[in-house]
Amino acid sequence: MHIDVHIEKQVRAARRRFDLSVQFSADTTRLALYGPSGAGKTLTLQMLAGLVRPAKGRIVVDGKTWFDSNRGIDVPPRDRRVGYVFQDYALFPHWTVAQNVSGAFARGWPRPLSASQARRVERVLLSFDLSDIRDSYPSQLSGGQRQRTAVARALVGRPRVLLLDEPFAALDGMLKNRLRAELLAIQAHYEIPMILITHDPDDLAACADVVVSLDAGRVIDVAIGNRPAPQSSAPFAPPAANSLVAHDAMQT
Amino acid sequence: MSSVLIPLLLTLKVAVCATLIAGVLGIGAGYWLARTRMPGRDTADALLILPLVLPPTVLGYYLLVAFGRSSAFGAWLEGTLGIHLVFTWEGAALAAAIVAFPLVFKASRAAFEAVDPTLEQAGRSLGYNGWTVFSRVTLPLAWRGVIAGAMLAFARAMGEFGATLMVAGNIPGRTQTVSIAIYEAVNAGDDTLAGALVVIVSLVCVSLLIAANLFARRGHMRIAPV
């Protein structure tokens, strides 16, 4: 996936003002937006998904322009075809697991699913090990089950890119490692590019080939694979070059 | 018997229509104010609550001025659309709808604000348009609060007196609702009729209130975002 982003946005909340100006391009299937909370990671991801409209700028993914303020282009989320996994998963509490996973096919409610859509939902439920809990409601699920449901819901409509907002932040160590491995297996299996938000250096080591570091609404560094770009004199910790190296050493 | 039944049926007709009107407008306004970031939304909220605090006779007077034959709008309604609102049951329904509107509006706004906006974003990320997000995600999560508000509105519309009297008058069999019939029965010294009507209205209102509370409370548990 080739992604070319140059976006600006101002957000006012109460008396505070946040200026975001993010520019990066990358050619990768595993990109991480890395930085402390309040860096503008989620806002950037929301603008990529089309959930928040940038004040100005341009988003081009694989040659397709999703947003261009100069040319008045703003492709709506349904035509960008992104799968979005929210930080707290944002599962619909009034729907069962199966209904949540079918969500992407249920646009024209109350139209029933077509046969091929129903088959696809069944396949995804099966491969995410959700068949046994298909009729459970999100409030009855464990953390891992919720995450699997959220990823399944995001993937079922065959998106072009999977966006994940801190997918492991709410989990403890053991579970975190397992779900990270699961996510990577899924990503490899579906061959889907992903963009992941994290503030955890361990996630970078495991899940990212390109790391875009953000701080206070600006890109402070873009690191590619285990060859991190020269560090700027940023106040924020460098994007875990060491752990990337360590990870590679472990794998070989 | 018919002296009980006729005003009672008329009151039900008026209250149902008023609740439908107030429901549609109240849900719309409640959702809009729950989500908008517009600067004047506090003022808009206050204006929409106004029918709750204004004396019903004042409200009725405004309605007479706005919809009466002497106003341009009232003349247009009557001349072009053939709608008569003064001294008709439709006028009574309109008056009751406006008096009941703030109850639906308030309850809907609170219920919509309790729905996590992230869930609406999740719907949009799945490709839903604005209407689908509202009808599949937001409204199903807020509907218990909305219904509770509509029940209160129905009870309020049933009991409407002042504004209805101003707009629709007191025509037995045509605009004489239960509240007005009670007033007249007491004035005429007909304590049996007044007593029967009072008991019926009290029972209906108490049951609606209990039902609304049950609805809202159970809804609260289910609304909690996961």
Side-chain angles (χ1 to χ4, degrees), chain A residues 98 101-102 105 112-128 131 134 156-158 190:
Chain A
V101 173
S102 314
F105 293 138
L113 301 189
S114 72
S116 67
Q117 287 172 337
R119 272 200 306 277
R120 170 115 179 119
V121 169
E122 290 310 316
R123 262 208 312 281
V124 170
L125 284 174
L126 200 66
S127 66
F128 280 78
S131 298
R134 56 178 301 139
V156 79
R158 298 182 199 277
Y190 285 87

Side-chain angles (χ1 to χ4, degrees), chain B:
Chain B
M1 195 59 215
S2 68
S3 54
V4 173
L5 212 55
I6 288 172
L8 193 65
L9 288 177
L10 178 71
T11 304
L12 286 176
K13 181 165 80 169
V14 166
V16 166
C17 289
T19 308
L20 287 177
I21 298 169
V24 170
L25 297 178
I27 289 171
Y31 182 65
W32 173 59
L33 274 170
R35 288 293 180 253
T36 185
R37 294 272 162 272
M38 191 186 70
R41 65 196 157 125
D42 290 339
T43 317
D45 187 81
L47 282 175
L48 291 171
I49 298 294
L50 207 55
L52 202 62
V53 292
L54 273 184
T57 44
V58 173
L59 209 61
Y61 187 83
Y62 281 138
L63 286 176
L64 271 185
V65 170
F67 292 103
R69 208 167 293 178
S70 51
S71 81
F73 183 62
W76 177 79
L77 270 184
E78 203 169 315
T80 317
L81 301 178
I83 297 175
H84 304 257
L85 288 172
V86 179
F87 293 124
T88 63
W89 77 267
E90 290 95 335
L94 177 77
I98 289 176
V99 171
F101 166 84
L103 295 167
V104 192
F105 163 67
K106 271 294 217 194
S108 305
R109 185 181 172 179
F112 288 132
E113 279 174 347
V115 176
D116 183 354
T118 315
L119 295 174
E120 296 178 344
Q121 286 201 330
R124 286 173 57 217
S125 81
L126 291 173
Y128 299 169
N129 61 26
W131 169 249
T132 312
V133 169
F134 180 75
S135 61
R136 296 209 68 200
V137 179
T138 318
L139 191 56
L141 287 171
W143 78 281
R144 282 175 176 276
V146 173
I147 293 289
M151 285 178 174
L152 291 179
F154 185 81
R156 179 71 187 83
M158 271 195 69
E160 213 325 277
F161 181 83
T164 309
L165 190 61
M166 294 285 284
V167 176
N170 176 15
I171 309 169
R174 286 186 47 210
T175 68
Q176 193 188 63
T177 59
V178 170
S179 316
I180 297 168
I182 291 169
Y183 179 74
E184 191 162 284
V186 171
N187 269 353
D190 188 346
D191 287 344
T192 336
L193 178 60
L197 288 171
V198 162
V199 168
I200 290 170
V201 171
S202 305
L203 283 178
V204 170
C205 286
V206 167
S207 2
L208 277 172
L209 206 60
I210 292 171
N213 272 338
L214 282 176
F215 247 86
R217 198 177 312 151
R218 244 184 257 154
H220 214 73
M221 277 155 57
R222 290 279 301 278
I223 283 168
V226 176

Side-chain angles (χ1 to χ4, degrees), chain A residues 80-100:
Chain A
R80 297 188 189 197
R81 293 201 30 227
V82 300
Y84 201 117
V85 178
F86 290 82
Q87 181 163 12
D88 51 6
Y89 308 134
L91 298 175
F92 301 121
H94 56 312
W95 292 356
T96 63
V97 168
Q99 286 171 327
N100 266 283

